[in-house]
Amino acid sequence: MEENIKELREELLLPKKRAFETMTAADTIAVEAYAKGYMAYLDKAKTEREASKEALRLAADKGYVPYADGAPLTAGSKYTAVFGDKMTILIHIGKKPLSEGVNIVASHIDCPRLDLKPNPLYEDGGAAYFTPHYYGGIRKYQWLTIPLELRGVVCKANGEKVEVVFGEDEDDPVLCITDLLPHLAREQGTKPLNSAYTGESLNPIIGSTPYEGEGEDRVKLAVMSILSSRYGITVEDSRSAELSTVPAGKARSVGFDASLIGAYGQDDRVCAYASLAALFDQEEAPERTSVVILADKEEIGSEGLSGMKSAKFDHLLASLCSNDLGTYNSCLDHSFCLSCDVAAGYDPGFPEAFEKRNAAFLNGGVAICKYTGSGGKSGSNDANAETLGKLRGIFAEGNVAWQLCELGKVDVGGGGTVAKFMAERGIETIDAGTPVLSMHAPFEITSKFDCYHTYTASKAVFTL
Ligand code: MN
Ligand code: MN
């Protein structure tokens, strides 16, 4: 009787043992080696432009070349397409014709940050400051009193483009947003978290030494003279720029056992890197064409030229289908897309936000979200059960550790990703990604095991 119940339990209920606990020594080595490559990618890629550039550098090493209309589409051809140095697409042409569909892993490489405003420089109280406009959903208080770097591009009127990376080098100074001392914060402390800090209260201090001589704004002048000698730029040039302040410092292992990764920008570069690593593993042409999409602007709704709503992707796919409408439609009809974006990891510090039976846990593997959205699944791509079934099949085949989750309790908030924009194109799409703790914070936490299985999940999708 005892035996019977044990067997029945194993057959009918979910297995109790987590994949993480069945790891072999070889698995542990593979997970650590993968984490090393991923962390190196994070250190190079702190803006979407840098994430694109580094992806292209890695791709070039693997024989990928820029795609142009009419390029040969023979099995094994490897192409890249970049839109505005931001949205980046990699294509490995498969043995089957494009009319049979392609396998897509789509993630995003933009992250919450503090972009400088068009007129970003001012002087007050004897110091110079930048004034930023935050990008994406941030909890403002998290960005104060931490070291920040300046990264981005300045586009001069003569067409010259200057890349700015200030604060990465350990000998470089960093920038920092100051906060009120607790002694004087009695009133501020009574304000709700969401209103205690405004969009205008995130101004990093950037200098305090006045330029020698007489007159106004000499600290500002001194700061500009440093930027001018290092980058050859003026305040006028900074008006046509994309400069962002991002957290300074490198990705680090976290925990005494070093099982976790702490870093800025893991949402969603963790999935971007996973899809790249899976693509670069392909020694020969896949059966169906593999496509990796590294989208921009996901954090502000996938808008604009380089976001997933942009027709740039459609134009590229049409071009790959030789602009033949029949082939193009058939390609969309038969394609599959893993919308690879991070999940909210269960945080025992905030149990009130999660429904434990439907939450993603650290070391539970890649987390599949059948739907995201908010309230009654509003704004969500609610993937078909058939799609989930198919995913289970390829994940089992590829030894992918996975779990199912929702984005937290039903009515506490919500969110979305690129999934629905792919589904709207007529592509079968489902969402899955790495569970993250402190999502959108300057230092986000993932588990190395889950990062690794985001990569095995991408590999599995490329076998469809
Ligand atoms: Mn994301
Ligand atoms: Mn996000």
Side-chain angles (χ1 to χ4, degrees):
M1 193 61 182
E2 271 301 301
E3 271 306 290
N4 197 5
I5 282 185
K6 197 168 169 258
E7 276 173 28
L8 202 61
R9 185 170 274 135
E10 271 171 24
E11 190 192 333
L12 298 185
L13 299 182
L14 290 172
K16 279 267 179 281
K17 199 150 200 169
R18 302 196 302 160
F20 182 65
E21 288 165 53
T22 61
M23 274 213 290
T24 64
D27 292 338
T28 311
I29 291 168
V31 166
E32 191 55 43
Y34 175 81
K36 225 174 156 185
Y38 165 49
M39 289 162 82
Y41 179 72
L42 284 176
D43 290 341
K44 292 214 167 86
K46 288 204 175 176
T47 65
E48 69 281 19
R49 286 176 190 267
E50 292 172 346
S52 163
K53 195 175 170 185
E54 181 61 7
L56 292 173
R57 190 187 68 78
L58 296 169
D61 284 349
K62 293 283 177 184
Y64 282 76
V65 296
Y67 174 76
D69 274 328
L73 299 175
T74 45
S77 302
K78 296 172 175 176
Y79 295 114
T80 57
V82 191
F83 305 113
D85 288 346
K86 295 175 176 179
M87 182 196 241
T88 302
I89 299 176
L90 289 82
I91 308 136
H92 193 187
I93 302 291
K95 295 170 191 157
K96 292 183 177 169
L98 281 151
S99 57
E100 291 189 32
V102 298
N103 298 321
I104 304 168
V105 180
S107 60
H108 68 93
I109 50 175
D110 62 314
C111 301
R113 59 181 191 245
L114 305 176
D115 289 341
L116 298 196
K117 285 186 179 181
N119 290 309
L121 187 61
Y122 71 94
E123 184 173 332
D124 198 359
Y129 293 86
F130 275 150
T131 178
H133 189 140
Y134 63 90
Y135 171 95
I138 63 163
R139 309 195 73 193
K140 297 186 189 86
Y141 69 90
Q142 295 175 340
W143 294 72
L144 287 79
T145 68
I146 60 165
L148 299 167
E149 299 174 3
L150 183 69
R151 297 202 180 209
V153 295
V154 178
C155 296
K156 295 192 177 188
N158 64 4
E160 192 191 336
K161 192 147 77 177
V162 183
E163 284 186 32
V164 173
V165 179
F166 196 98
E168 181 195 33
D169 195 314
E170 290 196 352
D171 293 331
D172 268 352
V174 291
L175 314 177
C176 186
I177 302 164
T178 55
D179 198 2
L180 195 55
L181 62 167
H183 316 64
L184 301 180
R186 201 174 294 161
E187 197 209 317
Q188 185 210 36
T190 63
K191 290 181 185 167
L193 210 50
N194 286 343
S195 61
Y197 297 92
T198 68
E200 271 65 38
S201 60
L202 298 171
N203 304 330
I205 190 162
I206 58 170
S208 66
T209 313
Y211 203 88
E212 224 172 284
E214 298 295 319
E216 296 284 290
D217 290 343
R218 284 186 293 122
V219 180
K220 226 168 102 171
L221 183 62
V223 163
M224 272 322 294
S225 81
I226 293 165
L227 290 176
S228 164
S229 64
R230 183 151 161 177
Y231 300 107
I233 54 172
T234 64
V235 163
E236 185 70 20
D237 294 327
S238 78
R239 293 178 168 195
S240 50
E242 285 176 6
L243 293 168
S244 309
T245 42
V246 295
K250 292 186 185 311
R252 302 287 296 268
S253 291
V254 171
F256 287 112
D257 58 2
S259 61
L260 309 168
I261 295 172
Y264 165 66
Q266 298 206 66
D267 170 12
D268 185 33
R269 292 171 194 145
V270 63
C271 298
Y273 183 78
S275 64
L276 290 171
L279 187 73
F280 297 154
D281 272 358
Q282 295 175 353
E283 295 290 343
E284 40 185 272
E287 287 302 310
R288 297 210 302 178
T289 294
S290 302
V291 178
V292 161
I293 301 177
L294 310 177
D296 180 31
K297 298 284 182 278
E298 191 278 339
E299 296 296 357
I300 58 167
S302 298
E303 314 288 349
L305 209 54
S306 51
M308 206 59 250
K309 286 183 193 169
S310 165
K312 290 286 187 190
F313 170 71
D314 308 288
H315 296 166
L316 175 68
L317 192 65
S319 171
L320 289 167
C321 294
S322 307
N323 292 313
D324 177 78
L325 190 59
T327 310
Y328 179 68
N329 287 341
S330 175
C331 182
L332 291 176
D333 282 345
H334 296 96
S335 290
F336 184 92
C337 176
L338 180 72
S339 161
C340 204
D341 200 352
V342 296
Y346 178 80
D347 189 333
F350 307 97
E352 67 281 5
F354 297 89
E355 194 266 277
K356 224 171 169 177
R357 287 178 298 277
N358 286 286
F361 287 83
L362 283 181
N363 292 330
V366 67
I368 305 172
C369 277
K370 184 177 183 294
Y371 45 83
T372 52
S374 66
K377 302 189 182 182
S378 166
S380 158
N381 165 51
D382 191 354
N384 290 329
E386 289 84 345
T387 306
L388 253 170
K390 191 191 282 186
L391 202 64
R392 277 177 57 199
I394 57 166
F395 279 4
E397 195 75 24
N399 290 316
V400 180
W402 61 275
Q403 54 188 324
L404 274 167
C405 73
E406 290 199 334
L407 184 66
K409 273 189 183 163
V410 175
D411 284 327
V412 301
T417 182
V418 300
K420 67 172 180 172
F421 307 115
M422 299 307 284
E424 281 168 9
R425 290 177 158 97
I427 299 172
E428 182 181 22
T429 302
I430 187 160
D431 201 3
T434 323
V436 175
L437 265 58
S438 305
M439 195 193 292
H440 285 203
F443 196 72
E444 301 174 311
I445 305 289
T446 57
S447 105
K448 290 179 181 175
F449 178 81
D450 298 334
C451 294
Y452 182 77
H453 281 289
T454 309
Y455 149 77
T456 62
S458 299
K459 272 178 90 108
V461 167
F462 291 141
T463 63
L464 272 168

